[in-house]
Amino acid sequence: MLFTMAAWEWLAPRRKLTLKRQWRWSGNIGLVVLNGLLVRLLVPMTTVGAAVYAQTQGWGLLNIVDWPMWLEVAIGILVFDLAIYGQHMLFHAVPLLWRLHMVHHADMDFDVTTGLRFHTFEILLSALIKLAVVIVLGPAAIAVVAFEVMLNATSMFNHSNVSIPLRLDRVLRFLVVTPDMHRVHHSIIRREANSNFGFNLPWWDYLFRTYVPQPKDGHEHLSIGVKELRDEHQTERLTGMLQLPFRSNSKRKP
């Protein structure tokens, strides 16, 4: 998916990027590699392993009733997606959590690698939250696998700098979060940054009225990032990203 979206960005870019790709990509991809290694070392069980264990123990709401597999998978994906939407809102609403999530928003350009860059502590917290959802819900392992694949694929899709015809974009927004929809969320304008929280399914933004269809300044003139953070050494270098939540200029309220 990463290579597919990168090729699409090269062939049909939506916006002209302002920063050199060399430093941004090395920082963003370096962060996801570091996160993957640390999660494997520090989190005792994967979500798939937790789902298998929960089913063998009969834990979780879905294990109370014998559901058809297709329905259990559908419920599992919907509940997981709602949980990620709620988690995303929480990381914007709580100042301490925002300092972690701000690393994702501090990227001053918006392309497929933005969908990979999250601070290590945020990734660890997110892994623990998903484990808790698995234990409470008790979904089939295949539902967890399907959701994780969808979440990672759509995160790279909706963070991509790709041009999609506006008419097609309007149709796609009924089914999936599109790049134009999610780009609004990365606006430097706080009201726009606190909208369009969905990563995968767009329905929660419609239901909970957090949907903003277009940025005020249009996509071509939209300023990406966090207003107080415009130093590339802080926002685009791996060491700067890891230190960012602990810097004094990272105290902006979400």
Side-chain angles (χ1 to χ4, degrees), residues 76-86 147 151 199-202 204:
I77 289 173
L78 284 173
V79 172
F80 263 105
D81 203 66
L82 178 58
I84 293 298
Y85 171 87
F147 176 75
L151 181 65
F199 261 77
N200 185 12
L201 301 174
W204 315 120

Side-chain angles (χ1 to χ4, degrees), residues 163-190:
S163 180
I164 297 175
L166 295 180
R167 186 174 297 178
L168 177 59
D169 181 85
R170 283 195 291 268
V171 174
L172 288 176
R173 287 188 189 206
F174 288 106
L175 303 172
V176 67
V177 176
T178 67
D180 272 15
M181 179 177 172
H182 193 69
R183 191 179 296 106
V184 178
H185 180 73
H186 283 257
S187 169
I188 204 170
I189 299 172
R190 192 173 304 182

Side-chain angles (χ1 to χ4, degrees), residues 14-30:
R14 179 69 165 91
R15 290 161 37 100
K16 183 178 180 180
L17 300 183
T18 60
L19 304 179
K20 291 183 179 180
R21 180 176 293 180
Q22 174 187 355
W23 286 110
R24 284 190 61 253
W25 277 46
S26 60
N28 291 352
I29 294 175

